Amino acid sequence: QVQLVESGGGLVQAGDSLRLSCAVSGRTVSSYYMGWFRQAPGKEREFVAGITRSGGSTDYADSVKGRFTISRDNAKNTVYLQMVSLRPEDTAVYYCAAKIFREMPYAYWGQGTQVTVSS
């Protein structure tokens, strides 16, 4: 069974940057498609970014394109989400997720890390 642990969240001001990390254990991260999701208070969880097993292809929600970058270091069993030019509307709990098959839903989830952006 794979375990995902997010870190790197915090309280920042609008325009600041943060880098979230997702440490993967239990199986090698290279076995999984990885993604980041977020859930703001009173809203449904939404997709933020995804990355293929090799890291050769990425996908982003329109709301974060050009500001967020997903990457992975398979040697360190870690996935990252670099966030720049943060906005108050980016405030949410950010979750790391993993799946084995690209066409399947994400099956494994971390516990989340809070990101709060003040104006």
Side-chain angles (χ1 to χ4, degrees):
Q1 187 77 348
V2 64
Q3 291 85 40
L4 310 176
V5 179
E6 303 94 335
S7 61
L11 172 62
V12 297
Q13 294 187 333
D16 284 352
S17 301
L18 272 179
R19 188 177 79 159
L20 305 183
S21 298
C22 174
V24 180
S25 61
R27 285 190 63 176
T28 178
V29 71
S30 60
S31 300
Y32 299 97
Y33 292 91
M34 300 297 297
W36 286 96
F37 290 74
R38 67 186 182 186
Q39 187 167 20
K43 295 186 177 181
E44 294 187 354
R45 186 169 55 194
E46 64 175 356
F47 171 80
V48 174
I51 188 167
T52 54
R53 292 192 185 101
S54 68
S57 180
T58 57
D59 189 25
Y60 297 94
D62 288 343
S63 59
V64 306
K65 280 182 182 176
R67 300 188 299 121
F68 290 12
T69 303
I70 187 172
S71 62
R72 64 192 300 158
D73 186 336
N74 287 344
K76 294 183 177 179
N77 258 18
T78 303
V79 178
Y80 304 98
L81 185 68
Q82 179 68 50
M83 307 183 292
V84 302
S85 300
L86 282 162
R87 304 167 181 170
E89 54 263 39
D90 294 319
T91 295
V93 177
Y94 283 72
Y95 297 91
C96 177
K99 59 181 177 179
I100 295 177
F101 302 107
R102 188 169 193 169
E103 64 273 14
M104 297 296 290
Y106 284 89
Y108 307 100
W109 296 85
Q111 82 290 347
T113 185
Q114 176 72 46
V115 173
T116 303
V117 184
S118 64
S119 57

